[in-house]
Amino acid sequence: DMMPKMALSRGFHFHVVLLVAALVNSHFRTEVNAVNCTAVCDDCLAEIVSCYSRNLESVPTGIGAQAKQLYLDQNQLSDLPTGIFDHLTNLQGLYLYQNQLSALPKRIFDHLTNLRNLYLYLNQLSALPT
């Protein structure tokens, strides 16, 4: 009689562990997928930061605030998190062309008060935020 209860208990424990692991994985998915700029880009703390054609699925972390030109073109970016560019107030050129962007968050470029050139062609965009 003790054997079935123990097996049920172990089975239940196994399912709880799997559920917790799945929840933790989904909660931290963006952090796990986030890659540091220095690992994939050139000159992360310079005025010109080159991250083009690196097969990136997310914007790298650690891009220096002094960046004036940011090349993220020819990657696999499908979405841009709200606030991802807020610290880049010196940015004058943002190259996002030839990615997989289908939508842009509202006010995504609001903090980029020095932005002069924005390249978004060859994406999946059907509308721009108002």
Side-chain angles (χ1 to χ4, degrees), residues 7 10 20 22 28 33-34 49-50 60-61 65 71-74 77 80-81 92 101-102 107 111 114 124 127:
R10 285 185 185 159
V20 169
F28 291 107
N33 290 341
V49 181
S50 300
T61 60
Y71 292 88
L72 289 165
D73 50 293
Q74 303 172 60
L77 303 177
L80 298 173
Q92 296 176 7
L101 298 172
S102 57
R107 310 179 73 86
H111 288 83
N114 291 303
Q124 313 299 321

Side-chain angles (χ1 to χ4, degrees), residues 60-128:
T61 60
I63 297 170
Q66 64 274 26
K68 290 186 177 181
Q69 305 291 326
L70 177 55
Y71 292 88
L72 289 165
D73 50 293
Q74 303 172 60
N75 281 296
Q76 303 298 317
L77 303 177
S78 58
D79 63 72
L80 298 173
T82 301
I84 193 71
F85 301 122
D86 286 359
H87 72 289
L88 301 175
T89 56
N90 293 312
L91 210 57
Q92 296 176 7
L94 181 55
Y95 303 81
L96 291 166
Y97 65 89
Q98 203 169 334
N99 276 288
Q100 305 297 320
L101 298 172
S102 57
L104 296 172
K106 289 185 177 191
R107 310 179 73 86
I108 185 75
F109 307 118
D110 279 8
H111 288 83
L112 306 182
T113 55
N114 291 303
L115 193 64
R116 307 224 181 334
N117 299 304
L118 175 62
Y119 298 91
L120 291 168
Y121 61 90
L122 295 177
N123 276 289
Q124 313 299 321
L125 296 169
S126 57
L128 295 175

Side-chain angles (χ1 to χ4, degrees), residues 6-63:
M6 189 177 289
L8 178 62
S9 175
R10 285 185 185 159
F12 176 75
H13 178 73
F14 178 72
H15 289 290
V16 169
V17 168
L18 285 179
L19 177 61
V20 169
L23 290 172
V24 167
N25 184 41
S26 67
H27 178 72
F28 291 107
R29 185 176 42 167
T30 54
E31 289 82 356
V32 170
N33 290 341
V35 62
N36 190 282
C37 182
T38 57
V40 293
C41 304
D42 298 328
D43 303 319
C44 295
L45 300 177
E47 290 186 356
I48 299 174
V49 181
S50 300
C51 303
Y52 66 89
S53 195
R54 308 295 164 98
N55 208 29
L56 297 174
E57 294 180 5
S58 62
V59 175
T61 60
I63 297 170

Side-chain angles (χ1 to χ4, degrees), residues 1-9:
D1 191 36
M2 287 297 263
M3 209 55 161
K5 288 182 183 176
M6 189 177 289
L8 178 62
S9 175

